[in-house]
Amino acid sequence: MDALALLAAGPRPLGIVLVTHHLEEIPPGFGHALVLAGGRVVAAGPIDRVLVDATLSAAYGIPLRVESRDGRWSARRA
């Protein structure tokens, strides 16, 4: 994950696709997110607009609270 964070924060950021079910794995510097559920797009766009309580609660089917600190994301049951 550290290597991905370095690539994302570099002077010429690369297009990187990361597939994960764990927000904690998203390195700082990533600017966009795509949330899928049941093979369908729930939300896509700037990461701070996509990784929000309502979107992830709908995608996972449980109430979640999403937080971002120092460029790191996390989610827990609300």
Side-chain angles (χ1 to χ4, degrees), residues 3 8 14 16 22 25 30-31 36-37 41 46 50-51 56-57 59-62 65 68 73:
L14 302 172
I16 301 170
H22 306 282
E25 293 179 352
F30 277 50
L36 301 170
V41 174
V50 172
L51 300 184
L56 292 181
S57 294
Y60 285 98
I62 57 173
R65 166 92 46 204
S68 174
W73 293 89

Side-chain angles (χ1 to χ4, degrees), residues 14-40:
L14 302 172
I16 301 170
V17 175
L18 172 70
V19 179
T20 184
H21 291 97
H22 306 282
L23 299 183
E24 296 82 4
E25 293 179 352
I26 301 170
F30 277 50
H32 288 77
L34 170 69
V35 176
L36 301 170
R40 299 188 187 272

